[in-house]
Amino acid sequence: SLQPLVRDFADVQLSDSERLATQSLYAFHYLHVLREAGRRYLQGDKVSSDGLNLFDVERSNIRASQSWFENNIGEKFVCAALSSNFSYAGSRLLALKQTPQERIKWHEATLTAAKTTTDIDQEPSKRNLVEAGNLIFLANAYRDLGSYDKTISYCEEALSISALVNDDARLESTALGYLGIAHYYKGHYEEAATHVQKALGISQKTQPVDRETEAELLRYLGHAYRGLGDYDQAIQQYELSLETARQSGDLSAENNA
């Protein structure tokens, strides 16, 4: 492709301020592409495939955009942009498509932005939601690395923030779900069942319902009941998980169920 060559040639012709401005336009554009891919992904059915395909086509550009934001986090306008453009849907897609290490770097940068931005247009409740969201997806990344104590700590911190703003059921449900899953892996089956049940109760009220996540939560609720020796309840949750996975149209979720 000629695009990288043209970009590199243009880069050396610019002053530092011009280069920063030009690079920011590129980075902002692909941040919005990530948001759009995530939005489509969570729609389900064929639209979900469109979101996955969009991310795959633009993967290298999205990652380059992320790297630019991470490397320029000291700029005030970068912090403001990251804080105001946090996307739950985009983060869910990153959890599927990127390594835990990549996601940790990204969400740490976005969390730093939310904590340091002084943008007067950014309401405190919005900043709190961005903080909570990034803590939740940091928890998810550490869960994938097997660091369950960190997962629990990040989820509890996120839930304490969510309780202050009481404004995003999806974030609360996700935090409770990841918290329950981490407790399951630590062998705390009662805590796992309690948190996952709460997460399911909240997630079923959100629109659109994230069927893939719901299938995962039902599966872990089954695991928790199995750990408690309640095999009838475990089977019931596994069957519900399979049915929900089929509704989502996600073959990997169905196989896991």
Side-chain angles (χ1 to χ4, degrees):
S1 170
L2 288 176
Q3 183 179 357
L5 295 174
V6 173
R7 189 169 61 238
D8 291 343
F9 174 78
D11 188 59
V12 299
Q13 309 300 315
L14 301 174
S15 67
D16 288 345
S17 61
E18 290 172 332
R19 184 177 299 109
L20 184 64
T22 302
Q23 291 173 344
S24 71
L25 292 175
Y26 172 90
F28 279 44
H29 172 72
Y30 285 104
L31 181 61
H32 292 143
V33 170
L34 171 61
R35 287 171 60 92
E36 176 59 18
R39 185 191 68 79
R40 295 184 193 180
Y41 169 62
L42 287 189
Q43 291 300 304
D45 300 324
K46 293 181 180 179
V47 181
S48 182
S49 296
D50 290 343
L52 294 171
N53 291 336
L54 176 60
F55 183 92
D56 288 339
V57 168
E58 300 292 1
R59 180 190 293 267
S60 61
N61 289 318
I62 289 171
R63 186 63 200 122
S65 171
Q66 289 177 289
S67 294
W68 185 87
F69 278 109
E70 292 160 3
N71 294 332
N72 290 278
I73 198 68
E75 298 286 344
K76 180 180 178 181
F77 79 96
V78 171
C79 286
L82 274 182
S83 184
S84 62
N85 283 282
F86 171 74
S87 166
Y88 172 89
S91 298
R92 282 278 288 109
L93 187 51
L94 291 177
L96 179 68
K97 291 289 190 176
Q98 290 189 334
T99 67
Q101 292 84 356
E102 287 175 320
R103 285 145 46 205
I104 287 169
K105 189 174 181 181
W106 174 244
H107 290 298
E108 283 181 343
T110 311
L111 181 61
T112 297
K115 288 182 174 181
T116 59
T117 186
T118 56
D119 187 344
I120 58 173
D121 294 328
Q122 184 92 48
E123 301 224 356
S125 61
K126 171 66 174 175
R127 284 201 299 271
N128 287 337
L129 283 174
V130 174
E131 284 187 42
N134 283 284
L135 287 165
I136 288 166
F137 286 103
L138 278 169
N140 172 264
Y142 279 110
R143 184 199 76 174
D144 289 349
L145 291 174
S147 299
Y148 302 120
D149 287 333
K150 280 192 173 182
T151 299
I152 290 170
S153 176
Y154 279 126
C155 285
E156 290 177 342
E157 185 178 353
L159 286 166
S160 70
I161 294 173
S162 294
L164 292 176
V165 293
N166 193 28
D167 196 22
D168 197 312
R170 189 181 295 276
L171 285 180
E172 183 181 5
S173 171
T174 305
L176 285 166
Y178 291 157
L179 181 60
I181 290 169
H183 276 295
Y184 164 75
Y185 279 117
K186 288 182 68 68
H188 306 157
Y189 301 127
E190 288 188 9
E191 292 95 331
T194 297
H195 292 308
V196 172
Q197 283 175 327
K198 288 181 180 178
L200 283 165
I202 296 169
S203 72
Q204 288 162 357
K205 299 175 184 177
T206 61
Q207 293 296 327
V209 176
D210 185 346
R211 295 296 181 191
E212 183 184 342
T213 297
E214 187 177 347
E216 180 185 36
L217 291 175
L218 288 165
R219 184 171 73 252
Y220 276 100
L221 184 56
H223 292 345
Y225 280 127
R226 185 184 65 189
L228 291 168
D230 191 340
Y231 300 113
D232 289 338
Q233 275 285 3
I235 291 170
Q236 182 179 346
Q237 301 310 315
Y238 289 144
E239 289 174 344
L240 287 171
S241 177
L242 180 58
E243 179 182 347
T244 303
R246 286 173 175 162
Q247 291 174 5
S248 75
D250 187 322
L251 293 178
S252 63
E254 187 174 341
N255 289 335
N256 287 331

